[in-house]
Amino acid sequence: MGSSRQLQVLSAIVSDYVNNREPVGSKALVERYDLGVSSATIRNDMAALEEAGYIYQPHTSAGRVPTDKGYRAFVDQIAHLKPLSKPERTAIEKLLAGAVDIDDVMERTVRVLAQLTRQVAVVQYPSMHRDKLRHLEVVPIASRYVLLVVITEVGRVEQHPLEVPEQVNPAQLTAAAAWINQTFAGKGSTELEEGKELVSALPPEVAGLVALIIDALLVALPTAEDRIVMAGTANLARAGTDFAHTIGPVLDALEEQVALLRLFAEMEQGSVAVSIGSENRHDGLSEASVVSGTYGSEDGLTAHVGVVGPTRMDYPGTMRSVGAISRYLTHFLSN
């Protein structure tokens, strides 16, 4: 970037193009932005920006449009993001309030993020392979069947029927559940596996039942694979003219969850990151931008939340929303 004034001009071009979806000329910049210089000076700056590859002219006699390089320079110079407005904060709090488990939180989160950004919202589930037991209930449902209700540290609720060798009385069920909760609450699969040797110290009538339940828990805790939940794909149709060809490649890329998870993993961790157009390794996203944030709990469960849309995107607003949602999800997991 040649000068701070050229960066101002570029920022004005990006902002104007995002707002109006029309190539931007020097006259529009003079009328809409207080750049403190003449129209001739702005034209010279635009010529320098075009020569450097930050903007281009889509056709003769048209104004200028930002390139991927131009968007990148614009995003990189964003030092501070304004906080969410009160209506935006209220919308997030209202929609996420009262969520009963992790599935409910994921569904609510993508809906509110899609509404805030008017883009496609994507939220990755935290990895359940590292999840831990919070509480267990054992409920009799038939003479030789019980229902295990497993509540994990991230708020996931799993229900698993379990067949037992013979009819057990409620006192044995209560004793088995109480011992497991006391011994393994806050522990994961590794501790459950290692704790099997402790079962031998229990009374025989309870030990066999506890061993069966532990084996079932070892299956229940790591069942969920890395996966994502998505909302707002209809927003792509409304932005269809922002893509040079069609939205088909972007939709195909969104269906490839593995590709999205890989892209999230490659982006910068611990803060809001942006990948623009040609920076995306997936061919289907070469005309799209991805804004990603990370969220997690104090014990190391981490995952990604993000937005996918055209490169003509409100980057400050989208980054602000993704960052806010990341913090809300972190708060949920930590509490």
Side-chain angles (χ1 to χ4, degrees):
M1 183 62 62
S3 67
S4 59
R5 191 185 65 244
Q6 288 179 10
L7 182 56
Q8 284 183 294
V9 173
L10 175 62
S11 297
I13 291 172
V14 171
S15 298
D16 200 84
Y17 182 63
V18 167
N19 290 332
N20 300 306
R21 196 181 286 185
E22 294 289 341
V24 185
S26 58
K27 183 179 178 181
L29 295 180
V30 170
E31 293 174 349
R32 298 169 187 166
Y33 301 90
D34 183 16
L35 296 175
V37 293
S38 67
S39 178
T41 300
I42 291 176
R43 284 196 297 272
N44 290 335
D45 286 336
M46 291 177 70
L49 290 169
E50 185 172 11
E51 184 177 358
Y54 292 102
I55 57 176
Y56 73 99
Q57 189 175 31
H59 52 82
T60 306
S61 301
R64 303 303 188 272
V65 172
T67 63
D68 289 353
K69 183 179 179 180
Y71 283 125
R72 168 53 59 194
F74 172 77
V75 168
D76 288 346
Q77 60 87 35
I78 299 175
H80 302 286
L81 296 173
K82 294 181 181 178
L84 290 178
S85 66
K86 185 175 181 180
E88 289 172 327
R89 292 197 306 272
T90 301
I92 294 175
E93 293 167 357
K94 183 177 180 180
L95 192 56
L96 297 186
V100 296
D101 58 29
I102 191 68
D103 294 315
D104 196 10
V105 169
M106 296 293 102
E107 292 292 340
R108 291 171 183 240
T109 297
V110 290
R111 289 205 306 272
V112 72
L113 186 55
Q115 291 172 9
L116 287 172
T117 63
R118 297 183 179 86
Q119 309 290 355
V120 180
V122 181
V123 181
Q124 178 189 11
Y125 270 76
S127 175
M128 298 301 168
H129 294 282
R130 293 176 292 164
D131 202 0
K132 299 176 181 180
L133 176 69
R134 175 182 292 177
H135 185 74
L136 169 71
E137 291 285 342
V138 184
V139 183
I141 55 176
S143 61
R144 290 181 52 195
Y145 286 88
V146 298
L147 181 68
L148 305 182
V149 182
V150 183
I151 304 174
T152 73
E153 287 287 353
V154 298
R156 190 171 185 84
V157 180
E158 300 273 0
Q159 297 185 9
H160 296 270
L162 176 64
E163 183 179 6
V164 294
E166 58 186 27
Q167 186 171 359
V168 293
N169 61 51
Q172 292 173 340
L173 294 178
T174 300
W179 186 85
I180 290 173
N181 283 320
Q182 182 178 4
T183 307
F184 296 111
K187 305 293 178 61
S189 299
T190 301
E191 291 88 351
L192 280 167
E193 186 69 49
E194 294 174 349
K196 281 184 175 182
E197 60 186 39
L198 303 174
V199 176
S200 59
L202 295 172
E205 65 273 14
V206 177
L209 180 60
V210 168
L212 282 175
I213 293 174
I214 288 177
D215 286 338
L217 287 174
L218 287 170
V219 174
L221 279 178
T223 51
E225 299 179 355
D226 284 338
R227 60 192 180 100
I228 62 176
V229 60
M230 192 181 307
T233 51
N235 291 328
L236 280 181
R238 288 189 281 273
T241 55
D242 288 312
F243 298 96
H245 301 97
T246 69
I247 64 173
V250 183
L251 293 174
D252 291 340
L254 291 174
E255 289 183 1
E256 295 183 37
Q257 294 194 5
V258 173
L260 275 179
L261 291 172
R262 186 181 301 117
L263 178 60
F264 280 154
E266 291 172 350
M267 295 173 72
E268 183 180 350
Q269 305 295 304
S271 62
V272 177
V274 182
S275 184
I276 301 170
S278 56
E279 298 172 355
N280 298 315
R281 294 191 179 185
H282 194 293
D283 291 340
L285 297 175
S286 61
E287 293 184 3
S289 286
V290 180
V291 180
S292 171
T294 57
Y295 70 94
S297 61
E298 294 177 355
D299 58 2
L301 284 169
T302 58
H304 296 85
V305 54
V307 161
V308 179
T311 55
R312 192 192 69 85
M313 176 187 293
D314 174 15
Y315 289 99
T318 302
M319 293 165 68
R320 183 173 65 240
S321 297
V322 169
I325 291 293
S326 298
R327 291 190 291 273
Y328 274 96
L329 287 176
T330 295
H331 177 76
F332 171 82
L333 284 184
S334 300
N335 292 275

